[in-house]
Structures are given as C-alpha cells and as structure tokens.
C-alpha cells in the first residue's frame, strides 16, 4: 500500500521543500521506499537533491501533460529517495491543464500507474492554491501543512482549509488533514508556542511533533545536493525530522476517521 502525502501551504518560504526532502530521507532510513514529486516550477526540490533541471530532457511536466510514463522520468538520488523532477517548464503545465477535462486527477493517475512500487509518495506543492496544488490534494491520502509560527502565519491557513474542503467535496472525499508541522521554530521564545497553540485551536488542527528548530545547518544542505540528514547527521534539525517521520509512519497506520470515509 502506498501512502500519498501532500505537503502544502500557499505561503512560500515555510520549509515545504526542506520538509519533503528531509522527511523523505528519514523515511528511507526507516527502511521505507520513497518517491518525492517536485510540483513546483521553481524546481527547488530537484536542485536540492543534487540534480540540475537544465540537464533533464524529461520531467514531471511531460508526465502530467504529455502522457510520458513516470517510470521513464523518475531518477534515483544520493539520498536514497526516488525523484520525479521538475523544470521551469512546469510553469506552463498550470496553463496547459487549465483547459483539460479531469485536470484535478492528473497526479492521482500518475501515482496509480506506479502501483505499489513505493511505500510513500510525497508531493512538494508550489506556493499557490492553483491547479497543481489541487491536483496534489486530489491524489493525496493526507495533507501536511508546514507552518512558520509567526503572528501572521495563520492568515493563509483558513484559505488552504477551504481548498481542502472543496477537494473533499468534489474530487477526493477521503483526503485527511494530518496537521501542521511547525517549522523554522525558535524555541527560545514562548511566542512561537503561543502562535502554534492558537492556530491549532482556531482551526482544530493536530500538530505533528516535534517542531523543527530554526538552524543555520539547513542553509548548507541544498548546496551539497543532499538533505540535512546527510549533511548534518546529528544536528537538532536532522533529529527533529527523523522523529517527525516516525510520527508520520504512526499517523499513516491510524484507522481512517469517520468524517472522511462517510459516503
Ligand atoms: P518552501 O518550499 O515552503 O518555499 P523552503 O523549504 O524552500 O520553503 O525553505 C525556505 C528557506 O528556509 C530555504 O532557504 C531553507 O534552506 C530555509 N530553511 C528551511 N527550514 C529551515 C530551518 N529549520 N532552519 C533554518 N532555515 C531553514
Ligand atoms: Mg518549495
């Protein structure tokens, strides 16, 4: 059984991509097979795993809009995760898909075609609530929302949850919100915890523990083409992602909630 997780937040810079790369590497350490899908035309995930998009002849764009077989495009990375890479061409996919019937289901179709090859498929969403994010949510079993715990960070959460609600209503009634992952977390202040508690209460969201600490080590990892789990094995950040990944494994084993399985 494949568990498909969308990592989404329309705000940029909240550590979506860093979380996808780090959780992917942590799940590989736990013995799981993992496919990461770069759904952001900026291709930051692809870059950060050591692949230069300019060197690629085919990418996720060809899979989503031209019917190219994902298995022919997926590459293996030094981190041990498989990657369906993106290039800037993906920016056109939004427009190309806009007029396409069934566009919300394109990512789901790709994952279904892969059968049970992977234990986990993790989708790195772009910083918008456009076609690609909706297609990712349509394909997902769960959505994880990285959140930087600052005073104004809740402003987009309601909008994201509205989109999740629409997806549940129209394209994926089984989608579950797995919760927020606190990122860029400054544990020295009470402020971050207060913001986190307020957001989780206001929107009735679970918090996936532990918060990922803000540390300079993260700036170094992408340049090395590896996740922080390899570049700073014993750093607080790497340990936090390992623990969060173990909690996601437990979350994936939880029976589905009544609310979302009700037909
Ligand atoms: P997003 O995908 O949401 O736009 P990124 O994962 O690209 O966000 O992260 C944005 C920036 O923050 C990157 O430069 C990344 O290296 C940095 N970053 C991510 N997590 C941390 C952290 N825990 N501590 C310090 N810097 C971080
Ligand atoms: Mg990103």
């Amino acid at each position: 059984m494949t568990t498909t997780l969308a990592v989404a937040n329309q705000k940029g810079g909240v550590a979506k991509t860093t979380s996808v790369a780090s959780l992917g590497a942590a799940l590989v350490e736990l013995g799981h097979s993992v496919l990461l899908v770069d759904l952001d035309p900026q291709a930051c995930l692809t870059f950060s795993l050591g692949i230069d998009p300019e060197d690629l002849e085919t990418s996720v764009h060809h899979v989503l809009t031209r019917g190219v077989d994902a298995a022919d495009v997926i590459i293996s990375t030094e981190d041990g995760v498989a990657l369906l890479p993106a290039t800037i061409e993906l920016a056109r996919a939004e427009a190309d898909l806009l007029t396409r019937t069934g566009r919300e289901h394109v990512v789901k179709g790709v994952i279904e075609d892969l059968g049970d090859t992977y234990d986990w498929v993790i989708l790195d969403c772009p910083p918008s609530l456009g076609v690609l994010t909706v297609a990712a949510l349509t394909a997902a079993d769960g959505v994880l929302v990285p959140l930087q715990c600052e005073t104004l960070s809740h402003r987009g959460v309601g909008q994201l949850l509205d989109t999740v609600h629409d997806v549940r209503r129209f394209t994926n009634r089984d989608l579950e919100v797995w919760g927020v992952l606190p990122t860029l977390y400054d544990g020295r202040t009470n402020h971050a915890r207060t913001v986190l508690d307020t957001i989780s209460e206001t929107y009735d969201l679970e918090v996936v523990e532990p918060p990922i600490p803000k540390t300079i080590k993260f700036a170094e990892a992408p340049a090395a083409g590896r996740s922080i789990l390899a570049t700073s094995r014993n750093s607080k950040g790497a340990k936090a992602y390992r623990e969060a990944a173990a909690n996601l494994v437990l979350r994936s084993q939880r029976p589905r909630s009544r609310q979302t399985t009700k037909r």
Side-chain angles (χ1 to χ4, degrees):
M1 270 273 290
T2 304
T3 301
T4 302
L5 182 65
V7 176
N9 185 335
Q10 72 274 29
K11 196 165 186 292
V14 297
K16 288 181 291 296
T17 299
T18 305
S19 298
V20 168
S22 307
L23 292 170
L27 288 166
V28 167
E29 281 185 4
L30 290 171
H32 298 244
S33 58
V34 178
L35 172 68
L36 306 183
V37 182
D38 193 348
L39 288 175
D40 187 346
Q42 301 300 318
C44 293
L45 178 66
T46 302
F47 263 115
S48 70
L49 292 174
I51 288 134
D52 186 345
E54 304 245 331
D55 296 340
L56 297 170
E57 268 169 31
T58 52
S59 66
V60 66
H61 169 251
H62 299 86
V63 177
L64 295 180
T65 66
R66 311 246 183 95
V68 170
D69 206 342
D72 294 337
V73 179
I74 289 170
I75 37 192
S76 50
T77 71
E78 283 194 61
D79 260 4
V81 296
L83 172 71
L84 184 50
T87 69
I88 191 66
E89 279 184 290
L90 187 59
R92 278 215 318 267
E94 290 265 342
D96 286 356
L97 290 171
L98 215 50
T99 54
R100 222 34 112 72
T101 309
R103 59 182 173 270
E104 292 95 346
H105 297 275
V106 285
V107 175
K108 189 180 177 67
V110 169
I111 295 170
E112 277 174 359
D113 287 348
L114 292 168
D116 278 337
T117 315
Y118 301 99
D119 299 320
W120 289 85
V121 175
I122 308 183
L123 308 168
D124 186 21
C125 294
S128 77
L129 294 173
V131 176
L132 291 169
T133 296
V134 170
L137 294 172
T138 300
D141 298 300
V143 53
L144 179 68
V145 185
L147 200 73
Q148 186 175 0
C149 300
E150 290 175 335
T151 309
L152 296 177
S153 55
H154 65 280
R155 294 191 64 225
V157 174
Q159 221 182 349
L160 175 60
L161 293 177
D162 286 347
T163 303
V164 167
H165 185 82
D166 285 347
V167 165
R168 276 206 196 121
R169 212 166 135 217
F170 299 116
T171 59
N172 180 10
R173 55 176 48 144
D174 293 329
L175 177 63
E176 293 187 326
V177 179
W178 281 18
V180 296
L181 177 69
T183 53
L184 293 144
Y185 195 80
D186 185 354
R188 291 170 307 177
T189 64
N190 288 330
H191 177 66
R193 190 79 227 182
T194 309
V195 171
L196 180 58
D197 289 344
T198 307
I199 291 169
S200 89
E201 272 167 35
T202 308
Y203 298 101
D204 194 20
L205 288 170
E206 281 185 50
V207 175
V208 174
E209 300 281 353
I212 311 299
K214 189 171 191 168
T215 127
I216 188 70
K217 299 282 182 213
F218 282 96
E220 298 158 6
R226 303 289 305 269
S227 80
I228 189 175
L229 271 75
T231 56
S232 305
R233 281 202 62 76
N234 298 313
S235 65
K236 277 190 201 156
K239 284 180 184 157
Y241 272 119
R242 283 192 193 100
E243 212 179 315
N247 284 329
L248 291 180
V249 172
L250 291 177
R251 181 63 181 78
S252 73
Q253 291 159 353
R254 194 191 293 177
R256 294 198 146 263
S257 70
R258 263 169 72 231
Q259 185 203 344
T260 53
T261 47
K262 200 164 63 183
R263 299 281 145 132

